[in-house]
Amino acid sequence: MTGTSGPQSAEDAGTTYSTFTGWIDRPTDLAAPLDAEISCDVAVVGGGLGGMSIALRLAEFGADVVVLDADFCGYGASSRNAGQLSGKPTGEPQLLAKVNPGLLRDLVRFAEGSVQFAEDMIKQLGIECEYEQVGNVGVAVTKGQLRKAQRDAQALIAAGAAERYGDQRELGLPDTFLGGVLTMVGGTMNPGMFTLGVRAALLRSGVRVFEQSPVQSVIETGAGAQVVTPLGRVRAKRVVLANNAHAPELGITPKHLSKPVWVSMIETAPVDADRIAATGWTSRSGLATKHNVMESYHVTPSNTIAVGVRRLEVGKNPLTDRTSSQAVVADLTSAFRARFPSLRDVPVTKTWGGWIAMTTTRLPVAGQASKSVYYTVGCNGHGLGQAPYLGSLLAEYLATDAIHHDLIPFWRSAPRFTRSLYLHNPVLRAAWVVDRLGDRRAGR
Ligand SMILES: Cc1cc2nc3c(=O)[nH]c(=O)nc-3n(C[C@H](O)[C@H](O)[C@H](O)COP(=O)(O)OP(=O)(O)OC[C@H]3O[C@@H](n4cnc5c(N)ncnc54)[C@H](O)[C@@H]3O)c2cc1C
């Protein structure tokens, strides 16, 4: 469960450890908690980008909607992520091209549609979030990764994706990278500003928003569902669970739907623009390495560099507020110093992290947990565009009964999921070790 108590940040050797995000401060205009018994057409549990988009889209159809968030809308992964809005689909493109080329085409269309959806939101809601349409590059650190990048690009282009393979110079990459695949659709942004912009739109819409209202249970009644919070209760015709990594905390959530995984970020002090250009990073595209567990790099308009992921840690529900561990922060810092040797003197000023919900298939899912209770979850590390797009597609389905073709690949007709074999800390640690051995062999 999220919470407002306890320190939000602590200092360690000049690095501020935050339990929230480095992109924005907490809003000060929190909506009041639910403290009554109310009714509505649809109650949405969780106000991340997913839940807020569901509510906004349903309100456009004239539905009476209530959103409940345990802390505030945007407290979760939505405002904490690496800010890379990418049109690259989830999964292994070469494998999918062989075993299910139709699904790969669907995933490409969904991923590019998600970017379009987020870009439309930014425009239509007038959100200032430092969005730059610079694309994102899957970058290779080793020759093996470079060959993989080339084959991935071929599979993706054949499936209709707007991708381009190139070497370090052609793609304007930092010179430690050998080359990679540029996903032309998308770019980078400040995800905290984007999420607060969507929250502001939600607060001025007709949707009733209750923050500081952790949902304790959702009960199917046959004629709707009841949502219970510490001080109130909502009787809704339908309920949508959009509580991401916290999904397993509610008894009504299908078993094995997802596992919570902690992802860490660090951010440097501002760097002189000429020094960044001198590394070769002239494109300023977002970067994600092609390791088993990627490293991500994002240069912001103020020339700080946000570095993310590299190590994933599986958690246990109920989740608590936390900071990233010193060991992971040190590891991310060493990655930054290895990839940008000429910037070794640049200090790391901030660190934070967030919980994502990972599914066994690594694909998002949406479906029905009971007659009146729906869920959407599992945009994994791609939810900046995909969570709001998937949410809006689910909202359209609830409002019209017609299922959009982009929702079909992710729709589960039965709430049955298998236990994940790879979402375990020893497996993820082994993946990290393999990545480091590969780096060492390549002298990087
Ligand atoms: C460090 C990090 C880096 C990432 N990088 C990227 C990236 O570069 N690009 C990308 O596309 N994606 C990235 N992601 C993933 C992306 O952020 C998520 O997939 C996306 O934000 C999920 O949105 P959401 O609305 O489903 O969940 P969230 O934003 O997590 O929202 C869930 C909400 O539910 C609320 N909640 C939880 N339990 C309850 C309850 N019981 N009652 C009421 N409310 C509850 C929470 O307070 C929260 O506000 C990253 C994630 C992290 C953490």
Side-chain angles (χ1 to χ4, degrees):
M1 186 59 52
T2 52
T4 49
S5 59
Q8 268 200 67
S9 60
E11 288 275 339
D12 170 48
T15 305
T16 302
Y17 282 64
S18 172
T19 56
F20 180 37
T21 176
W23 296 110
I24 48 166
D25 293 327
R26 282 177 71 92
T28 50
D29 59 341
L30 297 200
L34 177 72
D35 61 357
E37 192 160 319
I38 60 170
S39 0
C40 66
D41 292 332
V42 184
V44 180
V45 179
L49 284 169
M52 290 194 284
S53 303
I54 294 167
L56 284 168
R57 191 77 185 107
L58 280 168
E60 282 170 13
F61 282 102
D64 174 19
V65 189
V66 164
V67 174
L68 301 141
D69 197 280
D71 198 313
F72 59 85
C73 294
Y75 181 76
S78 296
S79 60
R80 297 162 181 248
N81 61 64
Q84 293 179 222
L85 179 67
S86 174
K88 181 182 175 296
T90 321
E92 287 297 327
Q94 292 175 60
L95 181 70
L96 279 170
K98 280 198 189 102
V99 302
N100 196 342
L103 177 60
L104 181 59
R105 278 193 297 276
D106 287 348
L107 295 182
V108 166
R109 203 185 51 231
F110 173 74
E112 294 189 354
S114 301
V115 170
Q116 185 63 58
F117 185 81
E119 287 177 345
D120 288 349
M121 274 181 118
I122 292 169
K123 233 177 267 155
Q124 285 159 14
L125 301 176
I127 299 174
E128 177 42 63
C129 60
E130 301 176 344
Y131 179 53
E132 296 185 70
Q133 260 175 329
V134 286
N136 288 283
V137 186
V139 286
V141 172
T142 66
K143 285 188 182 144
Q145 290 178 8
L146 194 63
R147 286 191 291 275
K148 182 174 185 319
Q150 197 160 17
R151 290 194 298 264
D152 280 356
Q154 283 161 358
L156 287 165
I157 291 165
E163 305 271 334
R164 184 157 74 83
Y165 172 80
D167 67 21
Q168 176 259 327
R169 272 173 193 276
E170 286 163 343
L171 298 183
L173 304 174
D175 49 23
T176 33
F177 299 114
L178 305 175
V181 190
L182 167 66
T183 301
M184 290 176 259
V185 175
T188 60
M189 67 161 88
N190 178 319
M193 290 169 74
F194 177 51
T195 302
L196 283 193
V198 177
R199 176 177 177 272
L202 182 73
L203 292 176
R204 61 176 184 261
S205 73
V207 171
R208 282 178 285 168
V209 179
F210 298 96
E211 297 184 316
Q212 311 155 83
S213 302
V215 170
Q216 296 168 312
S217 63
V218 176
I219 305 154
E220 172 68 53
T221 63
Q226 285 191 34
V227 179
V228 181
T229 69
L231 304 174
R233 188 178 285 256
V234 186
R235 293 177 194 282
K237 289 181 193 145
R238 289 189 282 194
V239 173
V240 183
L241 311 178
N243 49 348
N244 196 27
H246 296 263
E249 288 160 26
L250 295 175
I252 198 153
T253 301
K255 227 171 163 207
H256 308 312
L257 175 64
S258 62
K259 271 200 174 183
V261 174
W262 181 259
V263 187
S264 298
M265 298 287 307
I266 59 170
E267 187 177 354
T268 69
V271 186
D272 193 272
D274 293 342
R275 291 186 71 191
I276 294 175
T279 68
W281 198 0
T282 50
S283 65
R284 298 175 73 92
S285 300
L287 312 174
T289 63
K290 295 194 81 69
H291 289 108
N292 292 315
V293 186
M294 69 164 168
E295 292 159 21
S296 71
Y297 297 92
H298 165 180
V299 57
T300 69
S302 47
N303 291 324
T304 63
I305 299 174
V307 183
V309 200
R310 181 137 144 150
R311 276 203 202 179
L312 297 172
E313 298 163 90
V314 178
K316 260 206 175 110
N317 294 97
L319 303 172
T320 48
D321 275 349
R322 58 166 286 186
T323 57
S324 287
S325 68
Q326 282 182 331
V328 172
V329 172
D331 187 48
L332 278 171
T333 306
S334 76
F336 168 66
R337 307 246 187 274
R339 308 298 172 225
F340 295 88
S342 64
L343 306 180
R344 290 188 77 83
D345 59 304
V346 176
V348 170
T349 54
K350 294 182 204 170
T351 178
W352 68 93
W355 293 107
I356 58 171
M358 285 200 64
T359 54
T360 300
T361 58
R362 288 168 59 196
L363 296 178
V365 285
Q368 238 170 313
S370 69
K371 190 169 168 230
S372 320
V373 180
Y374 296 75
Y375 57 85
T376 157
V377 83
C379 292
N380 303 319
H382 291 79
L384 181 54
Q386 294 189 3
Y389 186 47
L390 191 68
S392 81
L393 296 177
L394 177 59
E396 276 174 35
Y397 175 56
L398 295 181
T400 64
D401 257 352
I403 188 157
H404 190 284
H405 56 76
D406 277 355
L407 180 57
I408 293 170
F410 310 110
W411 186 258
R412 287 301 184 98
S413 41
R416 278 193 295 276
F417 297 88
T418 49
R419 207 187 280 268
S420 164
L421 292 176
Y422 74 96
L423 286 174
H424 300 282
N425 283 324
V427 178
L428 294 175
R429 265 197 298 275
W432 177 89
V433 170
V434 171
D435 284 338
R436 298 298 73 79
L437 289 174
D439 284 355
R440 198 174 299 170
R441 266 201 303 275
R444 288 160 190 272

